[in-house]
Amino acid sequence: MDSTRVTEYPTSFERPTAGADPADPRGALLHTPAPAHTPGAAALPAPSAEGRAGETPAGPATGPDGAFEHSQPPAGQAAEPDHRPRPVPETIPAQPGGDTAPAAGPERRTGQVPAPGRPTPMRRDGDRLRFVGAATRRIARGMDLDEIVMGLCRATVPTFADAILVYLREPLPVGDERPSGPLVLRLRRTDRIPADRDTEGGFMPAVQPEPSELDTVGSELCEVRPGSALAEVLRGVRPVFTDAPAARAALPELLGEGGEFAVPGGQRAILAPLRGRRRVIGAALFLRGPERIAFETDDLLVAAQLATHSALGIDKAVLYGREAYIADELQRTMLPENLPRCTGVRLASRYLPAAETARVGGDWYDAIPLPGSRVALVVGDVMGHSMTSAAIMGQLRTTAQTLAGLDLPPQEVLHHLDEQAQRLGTDRMATCLYAVYDPVAHRITVANAGHPPPVLLHLGGRAEVLSVPAGAPIGVGGVDFEAVELDAPAGGTLLLYTDGLVESRLRDVWTGIEQLREKLEATAELTGADHAPPLEALCDEVLDMLGPGDRDDDIALLAARFDGIAPSDVAYWELEPEDAAPGRARRLARRELARWGLEDLTDSVELLVSEVVTNAVRYASRPVTLRLLRTDVLRCEVGDDVPQLPRLRQARATDEGGRGLYLVNRMARRWGATRLSTGKVVWFELNR
């Protein structure tokens, strides 16, 4: 005997045209074929035209598709078991329309007979609940302002309305800010049923609203005057039909003069204020064309739910946008905006946040010019990538710049950074690598505090991981740091980086360092052994080694190309602190400029060197140093053992001195003074 065969019939929610998701712009006007006539079934009398909501009709009630709303079969028929599944749909049921719509009687809530070919309203409270649930989920998916407003429009048109206009405050207040100036609303977005519809797959062309009614509604800006009809409607918070006297009087102010005549009458428009957590931030106008049935009273509740969820989402989006803006500004100010132009070295850098939603972190880099044409190269990483980490990073970077200005050795800089981190808190941990490059000696001094070691790419294409003592991280306390001095050959490239470049969930740090070394060698092969790869392109190639799963932390990268200064471009002397020192300095400078072919600068250099050396020997007790450097500019450096820095001041007419620095300031391209651990250096530069 054959097993019982159960035939499953699709429910009204399972038909291809059964649901209208707010995401589907065609949802409200789906073509639903008329149900076939069942022989033997009792004819249904049409309900009386006087039917009202809440009255019991004389005959059996019918559903939207002309079927029985109750499950009792007609008289004389046996009740068959109903094996059809009845899932609860995620979207609202279809609204029949078109010439094939069933010939139903009056709508049981309004008593009105919908005309053929026109959409019918949502017939049950369950329809509205399902629509509100699907619409609010779509609105809640938006992260920024445009996504939330677009979600409201797409969820509304055409399921709930034929058109929608969304006005938002200009500018939108953020949090507890008190807006200044008049309340101005700007038309943020307007959506209408598109002119062409997909007629394939069972979808029918939509009945288009009249251009004179819906397409002309809306003005760009409107100012809400205190005490006006629009201000009173917005203050009321609740959605209202625009055929109400107060709302009708508010339409000219919202839509412009004459705009109220374009809005359909007969409860076909709803004006819903958008109220955030503390104040009204806009308004939404829902419109239905005259060919569509009017809104019902229950639709005001639907509009209220849509307006509330949209306003709260807009509030959150504005707060999130402000937080992202603050984070971007904080990160921009914490990191150097431009790298300095230093003698004998070229620099390039990159910074990548951990993710678009976490644009701040604790990684930083820096390049600090030092006396004697040296440069300090710094890279560090504060644990975490939050706003707190960025703030701590800014404090440590400022401290490092201050310590570099004192010309302290690298290990001393790390020692003071360690003390500063302990003063900031017990859990303020960071790693840091501090290096000082001397282009004259072609040497680099490096001290490390728990940071990944730097990688040196030689001119021949060989990449080398420098052997630098790891040390303990900053913030541990009570740890001695060790500095090492290494060769910095001309043409070499030093890469300083944070662990986000070489460490991730998919690889350990030493595997990443080896991959970085191989990547540098592969890039160097493309340019040949005699040419170093361009710095900017090299940084981009290094970042290309990152895979999809390698962005667990933010990344800071600093690349330094060592050009150095040739010994033939350097002249150095020591002068005894005596009265004859300025004259000897002038003779030495004149002779060296003649050897370099810079006779045109002789007069200026002699005058400025004489003034600076005179100020040095007046107070110095040890020999004064004089050094000339020939690069793209001519640089002169005078050092002594007096720590007090000279200050530029305007000499009075009766003063015998005090005009030396004034001459330097007027004639030199740049000048400055830097304090050293053994005194100070005063320098100036002249264009060649």
Side-chain angles (χ1 to χ4, degrees):
M1 181 177 179
D2 295 335
S3 59
T4 304
R5 181 177 181 181
V6 179
T7 303
E8 295 187 358
Y9 298 94
T11 66
S12 60
F13 299 132
E14 292 178 318
R15 290 194 296 266
T17 60
D21 197 313
D24 187 356
R26 305 171 296 187
L29 299 175
L30 305 181
H31 174 69
T32 305
H37 177 69
T38 304
L44 299 178
S48 172
E50 287 86 7
R52 292 292 184 266
E55 296 183 4
T56 304
T62 58
D65 298 328
F68 289 101
E69 285 195 348
H70 305 286
S71 58
Q72 287 85 355
Q77 292 186 356
E80 296 182 359
D82 189 359
H83 301 284
R84 295 177 295 174
R86 298 183 181 274
V88 178
E90 289 293 329
T91 57
I92 68 169
Q95 301 185 38
D99 296 336
T100 58
E107 208 281 321
R108 61 188 179 95
R109 286 188 179 272
T110 62
Q112 299 176 356
V113 180
R118 298 179 182 177
T120 60
M122 288 176 276
R123 295 179 179 273
R124 295 184 298 272
D125 293 337
D127 298 345
R128 291 185 172 86
L129 292 176
R130 284 190 290 272
F131 166 72
V132 170
T136 53
R137 285 194 298 272
R138 181 182 181 89
I139 295 170
R141 284 198 296 265
M143 288 294 294
D144 58 22
L145 183 61
D146 291 332
E147 289 179 352
I148 293 173
V149 175
M150 181 181 296
L152 171 63
C153 295
R154 296 288 174 83
T156 303
V157 178
T159 307
F160 183 69
D162 292 336
I164 181 175
L165 285 77
V166 181
Y167 286 85
L168 294 182
R169 195 164 188 156
E170 180 73 18
L172 279 168
V174 181
D176 295 328
E177 289 184 357
R178 292 185 175 274
S180 59
L183 172 58
V184 178
L185 299 181
R186 176 182 292 275
L187 182 61
R188 183 78 184 193
R189 186 179 176 89
T190 174
D191 271 18
R192 298 178 175 86
I193 296 179
D196 53 341
R197 302 299 294 263
D198 183 9
T199 58
E200 299 179 1
F203 294 100
M204 65 173 295
V207 179
Q208 299 301 314
E210 294 295 331
S212 60
E213 292 188 355
L214 298 184
D215 291 342
T216 58
V217 174
S219 59
E220 186 68 19
L221 283 174
C222 74
E223 180 178 343
V224 182
R225 296 181 299 274
S228 63
L230 180 57
E232 294 299 324
V233 172
L234 296 179
R235 185 180 305 164
V237 177
R238 297 182 181 277
V240 294
F241 291 118
T242 57
D243 59 350
R248 200 71 187 179
L251 288 179
E253 189 176 354
L254 179 66
L255 305 177
E257 292 298 332
E260 71 277 13
F261 300 108
V263 176
Q267 293 190 354
R268 285 182 171 84
I270 297 177
L271 179 59
L274 301 178
R275 180 176 177 82
R277 289 175 174 82
R278 292 173 177 85
R279 60 183 62 86
V280 173
I281 61 173
L285 183 63
F286 305 93
L287 300 169
R288 282 184 180 177
E291 74 288 339
R292 188 170 180 175
I293 196 168
F295 288 111
E296 302 179 17
T297 304
D298 289 344
D299 291 328
L300 293 176
L301 301 177
V302 176
Q305 289 290 326
L306 296 177
T308 299
H309 284 274
S310 300
L312 294 178
I314 291 171
D315 252 2
K316 291 187 294 184
V318 172
L319 288 172
Y320 175 78
R322 174 60 63 87
E323 182 179 351
Y325 170 77
I326 294 174
D328 287 342
E329 288 296 307
L330 177 64
Q331 191 69 42
R332 185 184 63 82
T333 55
M334 292 299 181
L335 295 176
E337 188 172 354
N338 294 303
L339 292 174
R341 297 186 58 184
C342 303
T343 303
V345 63
R346 285 173 286 170
L347 303 170
S349 63
R350 294 291 187 275
Y351 176 81
L352 291 180
E356 285 296 321
T357 55
R359 300 188 64 85
V360 295
D363 292 12
W364 91 91
Y365 61 88
D366 215 340
I368 309 168
L370 299 178
S373 299
R374 296 171 301 150
V375 59
L377 307 174
V378 190
V379 64
D381 182 5
V382 178
M383 292 184 181
H385 43 81
S386 62
M387 299 279 283
T388 303
S389 301
I392 297 173
M393 176 267 287
Q395 292 176 303
L396 293 180
R397 180 183 173 227
T398 303
T399 304
Q401 289 179 328
T402 303
L403 296 171
L406 299 177
D407 198 30
L408 297 178
Q411 65 272 21
E412 290 296 323
V413 172
L414 295 184
H415 175 72
H416 288 292
L417 284 176
D418 180 55
E419 292 180 341
Q420 176 66 15
Q422 294 179 66
R423 284 191 290 267
L424 294 177
T426 56
D427 57 345
R428 305 312 188 200
M429 305 285 290
T431 63
C432 183
L433 191 143
Y434 189 94
V436 176
Y437 170 63
D438 189 344
V440 177
H442 296 272
R443 303 284 288 178
I444 184 170
T445 305
V446 186
N448 191 9
H451 204 77
V455 180
L456 178 62
L457 178 62
H458 294 268
L459 184 59
R462 180 176 65 91
E464 173 189 5
V465 180
L466 298 183
S467 179
V468 179
I474 291 173
V476 174
V479 179
D480 291 333
F481 299 99
E482 182 182 354
V484 294
E485 189 173 348
L486 305 170
D487 287 330
T493 305
L494 184 70
L495 261 74
L496 309 180
Y497 52 90
T498 56
D499 58 356
L501 180 65
V502 295
E503 185 180 18
S504 68
R505 291 171 294 176
L506 306 179
R507 60 183 178 185
D508 60 85
V509 61
W510 290 108
T511 301
I513 292 175
E514 181 62 23
Q515 293 178 358
L516 172 61
R517 190 189 64 80
E518 295 174 355
K519 182 68 173 180
L520 291 175
E521 291 183 347
T523 305
E525 290 180 0
L526 301 177
T527 57
D530 298 333
H531 298 84
L535 271 184
E536 297 293 339
L538 181 64
C539 291
D540 294 336
E541 288 293 329
V542 168
L543 294 180
D544 283 343
M545 66 178 283
L546 296 171
D550 295 337
R551 293 289 300 280
D552 299 330
D553 196 2
D554 49 339
I555 299 170
L557 174 65
L558 178 63
R561 174 70 44 77
F562 299 143
D563 294 333
I565 300 176
S568 58
D569 293 331
V570 181
Y572 179 82
W573 305 277
E574 285 189 355
L575 306 173
E576 292 296 328
E578 55 188 12
D579 294 340
R584 183 166 179 255
R586 289 194 297 269
R587 291 192 300 271
L588 294 173
R590 185 189 313 116
R591 185 176 60 192
E592 197 63 30
L593 292 177
R595 187 172 68 87
W596 286 341
L598 301 177
E599 291 86 353
D600 294 343
L601 300 177
T602 301
D603 294 339
S604 299
V605 172
E606 284 189 8
L607 176 60
L608 299 184
V609 165
S610 177
E611 293 293 340
V612 177
V613 172
T614 299
N615 290 337
V617 300
R618 179 178 300 175
Y619 305 103
S621 58
R622 296 180 181 179
V624 175
T625 61
L626 173 63
R627 185 165 73 167
L628 296 180
L629 301 174
R630 181 183 64 168
T631 58
D632 53 343
V633 297
L634 179 66
R635 182 183 177 97
C636 176
E637 299 173 351
V638 177
D640 57 61
D641 61 344
V642 180
Q644 285 78 18
L645 299 180
R647 300 299 180 190
L648 182 65
R649 66 181 180 88
Q650 184 70 36
R652 292 173 296 183
T654 58
D655 291 342
E656 295 183 1
R659 297 176 177 85
L661 287 182
Y662 180 76
L663 293 175
V664 174
N665 185 63
R666 291 297 299 268
M667 299 179 62
R669 173 178 175 266
R670 289 195 311 159
W671 77 278
T674 306
R675 183 178 287 108
L676 305 177
S677 57
T678 58
K680 69 174 181 296
V681 168
V682 180
W683 56 269
F684 63 85
E685 293 177 352
L686 294 173
N687 291 322
R688 293 177 51 179

